[in-house]
Amino acid sequence: MKKKVAKKKRRVVTRPRRKRHLTVRMYNVGFGDCLLLRLPTDDGERRMLVDCGFHTLGKGAFTDKQLVEQIREDLDGAPLDVVVATHRHQDHISGFGEPDLWKDIAVEEVWLPFTARPARAGSDGAGHSLTATAWDALMEQAHDLVDAEGRLKVPASATLSARTQEERDTVAFMLWNARANKPAIENLLGGMRRASGRAAKRRFLPDGRAFPSSVVTPELPGVTTHVLGPPRDAQLRKKRAVPASWGITDAGGAGMLADVGSPFGREWRVPEERVPGRPPFKASSLSSIRQFNDDLLHAAAAVDGYLNGESLVLVLEVGRARLLLPGDAEVGAWTAILESPRALELAASATFLKVGHHGSHNATPLTFLRDHLAKKTPAVFSTQAGDNNYRNGIPFDDLLTTLTDRGMPFVRSDTGPFEKTEIFEPDPDERWIDCFIPC
Amino acid sequence: MRRSPDQTEPDFRRLRIFAIDPLVARDGDHQVTVQVRFEELELRPEEKDRDPVSFRGRRVEVVDVDASGAAPIWLKPVELDAAHIAMQHGLEPSESDPQFHQQMVYAVAMRTFEQFDRALGRMVFLRGKHRLRLVPHAFSGGNAFFHPGLKAVLFGYFRASEEAPGENLPGQTIFTCLSHDIVAHEVTHAIVHRLRPGFNVATNPHVRAFHEGFADIVAVFQRLSFRELVHRALQTARGDVRQAGLLTDIAVQFGQGLGSGKALRTALDRKTKIQDVHEEHELGAVLVAAVFEGFYTTYERRSADLVRLATGGTGVLPAGALHPDLVTRLTVECVRTAQSVLTMCIRAFDYLPAADVTFGSFLRALVTADWELNPLDEVGLRAAVIEACRLRGIFAAEACSLAVNALLLDTASHDDWTPHVSTFREWVDRAIQVGVDEERAHSPEEEIDTFVESSSSERLLERTPLILFQASPMVRAEWDKEESSEPGRSLGDQIRAWVDSLTEEDRARLLRLGPRRHGKTVTLFNTTQRLTADGLQRLGLVVQILELVSLRLDGRECEVPTGTTLVIDVTGRVRFVIATPTRADALLTELTAAAQQAARGPMGWAGASPADRFAVDYRGMHQARASS
């Protein structure tokens, strides 16, 4: 309620937009991301599409086909200068899986995380190929455990028979999202064509070890793109535990999977300070035992986190505008950003924020909002609240409160508010919201 | 009997346990008191200003650490030697007392070890005298399994199904460590792993099925040896074992808790033939059913006269409760028969091939072992088991008929082995000396947690439900470990040297082994004791020679174990040569079958690592079983 009041106040000061601005059209895709950017450059308007997908269990205003058709209509024959697929989760790429429709849309460049680079035969792929292979196997398995509609197949369901329906739904949700979308990947890697008919240029980012790095492309004259993720360090990409320093005081409800804890009271336990220095199991042995906890739940969560860990994190520098587009980047990517003064400076310079990972608790450090990002920076959530454990903490309440506290105007793709303001202008049918950012 | 006031050490320790799952125990008093051999228990580790976190005897260590959360929780170990606990036969069985859980896993594990001791006539230790670690509340999850790398049995706990919890309360916490069957089953896996490391590679579809089936056999028949429980069950079932679900259902609470509405498995007969089932758990169930039927037939025969005596010769029991005396006598027969069956099955181990076990080779080993102990088979147990196997299509391909004579393993030709008799006699001497030394060395050496984490890629796979611990390099590492004691090590070397010294022709003729491959031979040995028909005790030696052969399967090089078991008597003569059939093409066919089965994988997950498709994955087997 509080935030609505704030919004209304802002409306009063609405002025016509005279200054140069860029627009971000956030489609109401449901649980997913799809953003069409129109960037004024020295050489006229250029267009960039960041992600194109949604979760089958969280649909919005479009089907995949309708979404691509809408984009085509909105482009009105103009090419997409850059298509970005932040990571290979279905809710970011499902729309790319309609290759026939994409034949009618010219794409000059496709940007993907470096982890999506197809392995060259015979190379050991900069040391990540073994891991990548293992994860690919895991993905394949995930693919086999849910059907196309997002229902758990029988073996998976039986394995989880002792869990609650809610927990099973959560697993199904995560597993469907991790399902391999071969047509989409093929389209991104090899399908899309330039206006000239040649294959679109592929960039795998970050290109090199520098952190942060930047990309300048002739397709976007005058625009510099800073790449803040995914981290090169595979360990970081896997990192999932939210550090206390992020400022989340109450993790209750924020965690997807409740920690069961010991079924026995404190009186049965050896007090921590009395545990021997050399207990019968070493820490490494214990961590290997820990991996057996609730197999499928944890495997599904691990896959989910791993894929999000691959997400591109971009800061688009267009004139004086800086768009922070963190995809679904979670703890690992943010840890790297917070630890690097230069990366943090770039992230904090944002004049627009696409809130990461649909507003989950582990994709935006509250401390970043409180201590680094300028007050009143506009933000958007591409999200859809839902009733399984995965989604019922999304968007995360503390995040909404923090945005409000910082005076940041924001809208959600699912619930708006669909009201015209100085910054936001919704479609009358609530199929998208346009954001106007001075640049 | 005491001869002096100083003699206070007891022979046995009595401990109370749940004989069947606590869920079932709720509607009656189904705790029993078991007797395990007394040993001093030591609380560990001893560090200044720190508390112990485990207790251990000579062969097992109970470590109650809970790794379900981010930080491990160590639960206080029970002090079973404490007077207040010891004087009441251990703690009172309770689901809510974790120290009772520790007591229960200790008691059941020791019982299981002692079953093997009794049948094999020697104390069974893990390799290198490691203690088997029992972790009663290791993780949160509906599974329990033996982890060879950690040398530990890890028991999970989980909440019962919310929708179909069976007789459990919805969402109730179920502890797999409180099921006698599960504890016995897992400890059996650990012991089988020790006795026949070659079985860790599933070279044919029977291998995994054998692991599962055998572990179930031990669990069921060990439970059938609890007199108090059998008495109550027979009273209720009016003497008919098959009507006593208490005795035949396996892991009731676990099965119901998972929402299946029934016990995990039952030993009760389905007349399924092995030719009709392909899935390995079903195959294993056929083996259990066959052995159980052999038991049942024998029990009926043994008790028929009692029933006739009790019914004035009609043999038809009247309606109503049975006379308690009759139930007592039936119980005696039931327990005695069950014990014989269990001993017979375990004794078969000394006569099993070193690798590539099939139900047929188990049947031959079982018949031979029993024949050596008890040539007359007066109670007809052996015949009954053979018959039950026949009904289910279990027979030995190499034996021309199911007559006992045909099933007996082929005795070795004396002439062939004559040149080696003196060598073998020397081995027997040394082996016996090793046994004596081991018995004298009262306590195994100090040990630390030796588990080495696998490489990062393997660790990754460990997160998935499809875990293949026994990746072939690890199997090999396991084998390569020497026997710990000095004489044991040198005897192992001596045997290996002998194998190496054989000509290619002798290898083929005597050991039925293929061409030599250097560095791929492992030898294991153990002494045996058997009674001849005239009641004399005879010592002997069993030598396992394991070799890895290389095969190409689906264009991929893989190494599979093959090998030969030699049963040598005290004079140095070879009594039996039990070889893995050298049948390269047949082996390839079976391997392909096993690989296909493994590719479908537990839970229908695709195989993650094609190189390890044959590894026996204790965890995966259970996962699949729970979900089937």
Side-chain angles (χ1 to χ4, degrees):
Chain A
M1 282 295 109
K2 209 168 143 196
K3 60 204 174 208
K4 270 201 172 156
V5 176
K7 265 303 111 61
K8 281 197 173 128
K9 261 186 194 165
R10 294 196 59 81
R11 254 191 108 182
V12 183
V13 292
T14 301
R15 288 188 305 264
R17 293 177 204 97
R18 280 194 213 107
K19 287 178 192 157
R20 190 171 96 128
H21 61 263
L22 60 82
T23 62
V24 176
R25 173 163 292 187
M26 170 172 64
Y27 293 98
N28 175 13
V29 289
F31 196 89
D33 267 17
C34 185
L35 307 162
L36 179 61
L37 278 51
R38 291 169 188 276
L39 312 173
T41 69
D42 309 341
D43 195 21
E45 184 201 77
R46 296 295 162 111
R47 290 144 305 270
M48 184 170 184
L49 184 74
V50 181
D51 288 335
C52 182
F54 55 86
H55 198 293
T56 191
L57 299 175
K59 289 198 179 82
F62 304 93
T63 63
D64 281 323
K65 273 203 169 71
Q66 287 165 350
L67 179 58
V68 183
E69 276 163 3
Q70 184 64 50
I71 292 168
R72 190 173 59 185
E73 193 186 317
D74 292 351
L75 287 171
D76 196 21
L80 277 171
D81 298 284
V82 174
V83 164
V84 180
T86 56
H87 63 295
R88 55 182 153 152
H89 257 144
Q90 289 273 44
D91 61 341
H92 291 251
I93 61 165
S94 66
F96 295 123
E98 300 290 340
D100 291 343
L101 295 175
W102 280 94
K103 286 196 177 107
D104 303 335
I105 303 175
V107 174
E108 300 299 322
E109 290 198 8
V110 179
W111 294 2
L112 297 161
F114 76 94
T115 50
R117 188 194 293 275
R120 269 162 297 180
S123 83
D124 63 348
H128 78 269
S129 75
L130 237 187
T131 314
T133 315
W135 279 104
D136 284 346
L138 206 56
M139 279 356 132
E140 236 170 77
Q141 292 166 349
H143 184 87
D144 284 343
L145 289 171
V146 277
D147 63 17
E149 280 74 49
R151 286 183 302 251
L152 285 178
K153 289 187 187 170
V154 175
S157 171
T159 313
L160 293 170
S161 59
R163 317 299 307 199
T164 61
Q165 189 59 44
E166 191 171 34
E167 284 167 321
R168 265 176 280 177
D169 290 348
T170 306
V171 170
F173 192 85
M174 290 190 281
L175 288 177
W176 185 87
N177 215 10
R179 261 170 75 95
N181 189 336
K182 224 175 159 191
I185 298 287
E186 280 172 2
N187 191 24
L188 285 166
L189 286 176
M192 295 171 166
R193 304 261 142 200
R194 293 170 182 250
S196 65
R198 284 182 298 130
K201 180 180 171 61
R202 265 78 192 178
R203 286 181 199 266
F204 298 95
L205 306 174
D207 188 13
R209 300 235 148 238
F211 178 75
S213 62
S214 351
V215 186
V216 178
T217 164
E219 305 300 338
L220 304 175
V223 176
T224 305
T225 307
H226 304 279
V227 185
L228 308 188
R232 277 277 171 184
D233 179 355
Q235 289 307 318
L236 273 181
R237 295 204 298 277
K238 282 187 274 180
K239 198 171 157 75
R240 282 171 57 212
V242 179
S245 60
W246 278 30
I248 296 178
T249 44
D250 173 27
M256 295 180 292
L257 305 167
D259 211 351
V260 184
S262 172
F264 307 108
R266 297 218 154 261
E267 63 279 18
W268 299 105
R269 306 182 191 173
V270 177
E272 254 171 72
E273 68 280 6
R274 310 257 331 154
V275 172
R278 293 183 70 218
F281 284 109
K282 289 191 292 202
S284 59
S285 298
L286 288 173
S287 61
S288 83
I289 296 177
R290 194 165 298 123
Q291 292 169 343
F292 304 128
N293 286 314
D294 295 315
D295 306 328
L296 198 49
L297 264 85
H298 287 255
V303 167
D304 188 70
Y306 182 78
L307 283 183
N308 286 340
E310 287 187 345
S311 185
L312 277 171
V313 180
L314 304 178
V315 174
L316 243 58
E317 190 177 340
V318 188
R320 57 195 176 95
R322 304 272 180 105
L323 313 183
L324 175 52
L325 308 170
D328 277 2
E330 289 185 8
V331 179
W334 275 107
T335 304
I337 293 168
L338 294 174
E339 281 172 5
S340 154
R342 173 72 186 131
L344 181 57
E345 187 194 330
L346 281 168
S349 68
T351 59
F352 169 85
L353 168 68
K354 190 230 69 152
V355 178
H357 194 212
H358 324 288
S360 75
H361 71 289
N362 55 355
T364 312
L366 297 184
T367 43
F368 172 74
L369 301 179
R370 286 186 196 138
D371 305 337
H372 302 287
L373 194 63
K375 280 187 178 179
K376 300 188 179 173
T377 308
V380 295
F381 289 82
S382 187
T383 193
Q384 188 183 61
D387 51 6
N388 67 43
N389 275 351
Y390 189 88
R391 283 204 286 165
N392 69 9
I394 290 181
F396 182 46
D397 281 342
D398 282 10
L399 198 54
L400 298 172
T401 319
T402 308
L403 258 60
T404 310
D405 290 350
R406 298 284 294 166
M408 294 171 63
F410 64 87
V411 287
R412 296 171 49 160
S413 61
D414 57 343
T415 57
F418 295 97
E419 295 163 4
K420 191 173 173 214
T421 67
E422 183 191 10
I423 307 163
F424 304 118
E425 190 174 317
D427 163 52
D429 297 333
E430 303 185 357
R431 289 171 300 166
W432 61 75
I433 298 174
D434 286 330
C435 317
F436 295 88
I437 312 297
C439 62
Chain B
M1 187 188 293
R2 288 174 78 205
R3 299 286 181 193
S4 91
D6 304 331
Q7 266 178 288
T8 55
E9 187 177 293
D11 290 330
F12 296 103
R13 183 195 295 275
R14 291 193 175 78
L15 292 170
R16 289 184 281 180
I17 62 165
F18 284 122
I20 45 175
D21 299 5
L23 146 85
V24 188
R26 206 181 293 135
D27 55 294
D29 178 24
H30 293 309
Q31 317 163 357
V32 297
T33 304
V34 297
Q35 223 170 242
V36 298
R37 203 178 298 141
F38 177 80
E39 60 178 351
E40 296 275 356
L41 295 173
E42 180 195 358
L43 289 173
R44 286 192 72 250
E46 283 178 38
E47 286 180 22
K48 195 167 171 284
D49 295 332
R50 302 293 171 99
D51 293 342
V53 291
S54 74
F55 69 91
R56 70 183 194 184
R58 288 180 65 186
R59 291 188 281 186
V60 300
E61 173 163 15
V62 178
V63 188
D64 203 352
V65 60
D66 184 338
S68 65
I73 294 170
W74 299 86
L75 297 170
K76 293 177 181 167
V78 62
E79 192 179 352
L80 292 177
D81 286 344
H84 286 172
I85 295 175
M87 73 175 53
Q88 47 174 336
H89 295 172
L91 298 165
E92 190 189 347
S94 153
E95 285 175 81
S96 57
D97 177 351
Q99 294 198 330
F100 164 71
H101 300 192
Q102 300 165 9
Q103 166 183 318
M104 167 127 178
V105 293
Y106 171 75
V108 177
M110 290 314 293
R111 275 289 284 210
T112 311
F113 268 101
E114 286 169 18
Q115 295 288 358
F116 279 82
D117 294 349
R118 181 183 322 183
L120 297 175
R122 61 178 193 269
M123 268 182 94
V124 178
F125 285 92
L126 292 199
R127 278 187 83 68
K129 293 290 173 58
H130 283 288
R131 290 179 178 85
L132 178 64
R133 294 184 284 187
L134 306 167
V135 191
H137 314 101
F139 61 95
S140 129
N143 200 357
F145 57 95
F146 166 56
H147 187 311
L150 286 169
K151 298 187 176 55
V153 176
L154 307 175
F155 296 94
Y157 61 87
F158 63 104
R159 283 180 291 136
S161 167
E162 299 274 354
E163 289 106 46
E167 290 173 52
N168 297 294
L169 303 173
Q172 174 198 352
T173 305
I174 294 178
F175 299 99
T176 56
C177 67
L178 286 188
S179 165
H180 164 271
D181 304 343
I182 293 176
V183 181
H185 181 107
E186 301 311 328
V187 172
T188 303
H189 276 318
I191 297 172
V192 170
H193 178 83
R194 163 67 181 100
L195 295 174
R196 281 291 181 279
F199 292 1
N200 286 332
V201 185
T203 38
N204 75 64
H206 283 195
V207 178
R208 288 184 234 236
F210 174 76
H211 273 287
E212 283 298 289
F214 189 79
D216 273 353
I217 288 172
V218 173
V220 169
F221 287 100
Q222 180 162 290
R223 190 151 42 106
L224 276 165
S225 69
F226 297 142
R227 208 168 287 260
E228 304 158 64
L229 176 75
V230 172
H231 192 280
R232 281 191 290 266
L234 287 181
Q235 181 71 269
T236 317
R238 309 187 69 251
D240 188 346
V241 176
R242 285 187 302 191
Q243 300 303 316
L246 273 188
L247 302 179
T248 55
D249 287 347
I250 304 171
V252 178
Q253 185 178 28
F254 184 70
Q256 294 198 353
L258 285 175
S260 69
K262 57 181 194 297
L264 197 52
R265 275 156 295 169
T266 167
L268 267 194
D269 184 30
R270 294 169 305 157
K271 299 265 182 208
T272 320
K273 289 191 171 199
I274 53 169
Q275 286 79 3
D276 301 335
V277 289
H278 302 287
E279 201 273 322
E280 48 209 30
H281 308 95
E282 290 179 19
L283 264 178
V286 175
L287 185 66
V288 180
V291 173
F292 192 83
E293 186 174 305
F295 155 76
Y296 178 73
T297 312
T298 312
Y299 162 72
E300 273 212 316
R301 194 162 45 230
R302 274 184 172 180
S303 58
D305 56 345
L306 293 173
V307 176
R308 283 193 299 273
L309 281 170
T311 55
T314 64
V316 180
L317 289 167
L322 297 187
H323 194 287
D325 286 351
L326 176 61
V327 177
T328 306
R329 286 289 292 110
L330 290 174
T331 303
V332 170
E333 291 304 331
C334 179
V335 169
R336 186 195 292 168
T337 312
Q339 190 61 58
S340 311
V341 171
L342 186 49
T343 307
M344 182 166 93
C345 290
I346 297 174
R347 272 185 57 89
F349 260 89
D350 279 339
Y351 299 84
L352 283 174
D356 201 28
V357 67
T358 59
F359 288 179
S361 53
F362 176 61
L363 177 62
R364 288 192 84 179
L366 178 140
V367 168
T368 309
D370 191 56
W371 179 79
E372 294 236 295
L373 183 70
N374 167 28
L376 294 180
D377 190 27
E378 275 161 345
V379 292
L381 176 58
R382 187 161 69 226
V385 171
I386 294 173
E387 173 62 11
C389 285
R390 185 188 68 79
L391 284 173
R392 288 167 184 79
I394 301 173
F395 50 84
E398 309 82 10
C400 48
S401 85
L402 280 170
V404 172
N405 280 341
L407 279 173
L408 284 179
L409 290 162
D410 305 326
T411 43
S413 144
H414 280 200
D415 296 346
D416 286 351
W417 291 97
T418 313
H420 303 284
V421 165
S422 59
T423 316
F424 292 174
R425 196 178 299 168
E426 203 182 312
W427 292 359
V428 175
D429 292 347
R430 300 196 66 154
I432 292 168
Q433 191 55 45
V434 171
V436 171
D437 290 350
E438 279 179 355
E439 219 171 301
R440 286 187 189 141
H442 197 67
S443 182
E445 54 210 75
E446 198 58 24
E447 68 199 70
I448 50 156
D449 181 17
T450 50
F451 179 62
V452 184
E453 269 218 75
S454 44
S455 72
S456 61
S457 66
E458 275 169 303
R459 217 174 326 140
L460 263 174
L461 291 170
E462 279 177 16
R463 285 177 195 278
T464 77
L466 188 101
I467 297 201
L468 302 163
F469 293 117
Q470 291 311 99
S472 43
M474 274 183 78
V475 178
R476 226 174 316 154
E478 183 80 6
W479 294 352
D480 287 346
K481 265 181 220 143
E482 305 286 346
E483 296 288 333
S484 64
S485 66
E486 213 32 64
R489 190 173 309 164
S490 69
L491 179 53
D493 289 345
Q494 213 174 332
I495 296 173
R496 203 176 318 185
W498 175 80
V499 176
D500 288 342
S501 72
L502 289 179
T503 63
E504 289 288 341
E505 193 226 325
D506 274 349
R507 279 170 58 87
R509 194 167 47 92
L510 296 176
L511 298 179
R512 295 165 217 170
L513 290 173
R516 187 191 321 272
R517 294 177 71 221
H518 284 285
K520 304 285 184 188
T521 307
V522 179
T523 57
L524 298 101
F525 64 89
N526 61 261
T527 52
T528 59
Q529 282 138 36
R530 68 186 177 89
L531 287 168
T532 56
D534 47 6
L536 296 179
Q537 195 191 19
R538 287 271 189 256
L539 297 169
L541 176 68
V542 174
V543 173
Q544 292 178 60
I545 299 158
L546 263 173
E547 295 200 328
L548 290 175
V549 295
S550 184
L551 282 176
R552 281 196 81 75
L553 186 72
D554 300 347
R556 196 184 275 274
E557 196 75 15
C558 58
E559 288 193 318
V560 296
T562 175
T564 299
T565 307
L566 295 179
V567 181
I568 299 169
D569 75 10
V570 76
T571 65
R573 274 208 304 271
V574 174
R575 297 172 51 78
F576 301 106
V577 182
I578 306 134
T580 306
T582 42
R583 37 182 180 112
D585 36 330
L587 186 56
L588 206 56
T589 321
E590 302 234 304
L591 270 176
T592 314
Q596 277 162 1
Q597 218 163 61
R600 283 200 299 278
M603 310 199 329
W605 285 47
S609 169
D612 302 336
R613 276 179 297 190
F614 311 111
V616 169
D617 165 20
Y618 297 103
R619 178 156 173 273
M621 292 196 298
H622 295 159
Q623 195 81 55
R625 189 187 58 205
S627 58
S628 59

